[in-house]
C-alpha cells in the first residue's frame, strides 16, 4: 500500500511592489474622481496656464488633492531611484527595506528644502513669491510622478537592458523639469531688483545645487559602472 506523504505549503510573501503600485493607482484615481475638474486642469499644466491662473491665488485649496499627489510623487520618485541603484548593482530592486530608506530620505529632503526655503523667503520678505514658486514647481513634479507609475511597473517586472531607457527617462525628466522651472521663474521676474537678487540666490542654493550634486553623483556612478 502506497504511503501518503503530506507536503507543507506556505504561501509566499505578497509582493510589496505590487501592493505599492496598487496604492499609487488608487491615490491617483481618488484625486481624479473626487476633484475631476481640478485634475483635468492640472493634467494640462505643460501646455496651459489655466490651472496656475485659477489656483495660484490660493494654492492651499483642496488639501486632499495635493496630499494624494504628494504621496504618489514621493513613492514614485523613490521607486525610480531604487531602479537606478539596482541598474548600477548598488541596490536590489526587490528589497523593500532599501526602498523604505530611500523614501525616508526623500521625505526628509522634501521637508528640509521646504522649511529652509520658507525661512529664507521670510528673511528676505519673499514669502508670497516662494509659496507661488513652490506650488508651480510641485505641480510639475506631481505630473511627472503620475507618468512614472507605468514606467516603474514596466522596468520592475521586465528583466531587460534598460540603460538606453534610463538615460532617455532622465533626459525627459530634466527637460520637463526645466520647462516647469523656466515657466515658474518667468512669473517671478516682475518685481523689484533686490527681490530678484534674493530670489535667484534662493534658486541657486536650494533648487539648482541639489541637481548639480545628483548629476555629479550619477556621472561618478556611471564611470565606476563602466570600469
Amino acid at each position: 500500500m502506497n504511503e501518503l506523504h503530506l507536503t507543507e505549503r506556505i504561501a509566499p510573501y505578497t509582493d510589496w511592489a505590487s501592493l505599492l503600485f496598487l496604492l499609487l493607482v488608487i491615490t491617483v484615481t481618488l484625486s481624479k474622481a473626487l476633484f475631476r475638474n481640478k485634475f483635468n486642469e492640472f493634467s494640462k499644466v505643460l501646455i496651459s496656464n489655466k490651472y496656475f491662473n485659477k489656483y495660484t491665488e490660493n494654492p492651499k485649496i483642496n488639501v486632499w488633492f495635493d496630499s494624494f499627489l504628494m504621496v504618489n510623487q514621493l513613492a514614485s520618485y523613490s521607486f525610480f531611484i531604487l531602479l537606478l541603484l539596482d541598474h548600477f548593482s548598488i541596490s536590489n530592486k526587490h528589497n523593500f527595506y532599501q526602498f523604505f530608506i530611500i523614501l525616508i530620505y526623500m521625505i526628509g529632503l522634501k521637508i528640509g528644502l521646504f522649511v529652509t526655503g520658507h525661512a529664507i523667503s521670510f528673511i528676505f520678505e519673499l514669502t508670497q513669491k516662494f509659496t507661488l514658486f513652490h506650488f508651480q514647481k510641485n505641480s510639475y513634479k506631481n505630473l511627472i510622478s503620475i507618468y512614472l507609475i507605468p514606467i516603474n511597473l514596466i522596468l520592475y517586472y521586465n528583466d531587460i537592458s534598460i540603460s538606453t531607457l534610463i538615460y532617455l527617462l532622465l533626459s525627459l525628466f530634466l527637460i520637463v523639469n526645466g520647462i516647469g522651472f523656466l515657466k515658474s521663474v518667468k512669473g517671478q521676474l516682475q518685481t523689484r531688483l533686490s527681490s530678484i537678487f534674493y530670489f535667484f540666490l534662493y534658486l541657486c542654493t536650494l533648487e539648482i545645487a541639489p541637481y548639480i550634486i545628483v548629476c555629479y553623483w550619477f556621472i561618478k556612478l556611471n564611470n565606476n559602472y563602466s570600469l
Side-chain angles (χ1 to χ4, degrees), residues 199-226:
F199 179 74
F200 276 100
L201 180 63
Y202 157 77
L203 292 179
C204 293
T205 54
L206 295 181
E207 296 296 335
I208 299 177
Y211 284 101
I212 295 177
I213 294 174
V214 170
C215 288
Y216 170 78
W217 178 69
F218 181 76
I219 293 173
K220 186 175 181 180
L221 285 178
N222 187 41
N223 291 336
N224 293 335
Y225 178 76
S226 300

Side-chain angles (χ1 to χ4, degrees), residues 26-28 30-31 34-35 63-73:
I26 290 175
T27 58
V28 175
L30 285 175
S31 65
L34 298 177
F35 312 98
V63 176
W64 281 108
F65 176 82
D66 298 320
S67 298
F68 286 140
L69 296 182
M70 180 58 66
V71 169
N72 178 64
Q73 178 191 143

Side-chain angles (χ1 to χ4, degrees), residues 13-18 21 79 82-83 85-87 91-100 153 155-159:
Y13 178 72
T14 304
D15 182 9
W16 65 270
S18 298
F21 289 130
F79 198 90
L82 179 68
L83 293 176
L85 296 178
D86 177 81
H87 175 66
S91 182
N92 186 338
K93 66 180 182 181
H94 302 290
N95 192 315
F96 172 76
Y97 176 75
Q98 293 174 349
F99 166 78
F100 182 73
L153 191 150
L155 294 179
Y156 181 78
Y157 288 108
N158 291 273
D159 294 326

